Amino acid sequence: MPRRRLTTQGLTEGAILASLVAAFALATRYVPVLGMATAFLVPLPLTVLVIRRGLWPALLAAAVAGTIAGMVAGPLAGIGILLTFAPFGIVVGLGARAGRSAPAILGMAALATAVSLTIDL
């Protein structure tokens, strides 16, 4: 099966969603009251990108979001996005794209969160 090429439309959507991930992550880190709400929103753009465009644009967007946050808030913020928020969003998106049931997606997301939090320690 030949690999699909990244289209301009997919790259543009990925760039917009990567900036949303970075903005939500920075708001989570620096805005005290809003941070509690935005912590739940950080993985959603990556989930949407996986569902709409596939895995590769989402991985690229996660790397870009980590780079943006790393340039603005320091390297630990960028690494935090790549280790905590990105795996959760990507795993949930892959489960939804594959048509998995809600309990299966919840289990995969819990496993991804446990692994990423273990690595992040």
Side-chain angles (χ1 to χ4, degrees):
M1 181 169 99
R3 195 171 131 210
R4 289 184 7 190
R5 294 184 48 156
L6 294 175
T7 62
T8 305
Q9 213 174 18
L11 289 175
T12 304
E13 186 175 355
I16 292 168
L17 292 175
S19 65
L20 271 176
V21 169
F24 287 152
L26 291 172
T28 300
R29 185 176 178 132
Y30 290 116
V31 182
V33 177
L34 188 63
M36 291 184 287
T38 58
F40 294 106
L41 298 176
V42 175
L44 289 180
L46 291 175
T47 302
V48 170
L49 191 59
V50 170
I51 292 169
R52 289 177 51 97
R53 301 291 174 185
L55 180 63
W56 292 111
L59 290 175
L60 184 61
V64 168
T67 304
I68 291 170
M71 288 191 301
V72 173
L76 289 179
I79 292 171
I81 288 175
L82 294 177
L83 289 180
T84 56
F85 296 120
F88 179 81
I90 290 172
V91 165
V92 171
L94 286 173
R97 184 179 174 110
R100 304 272 186 220
S101 66
I105 293 173
L106 184 63
M108 293 186 315
L111 182 65
T113 301
V115 169
S116 66
L117 288 178
T118 303
I119 292 171
D120 197 30
L121 291 177

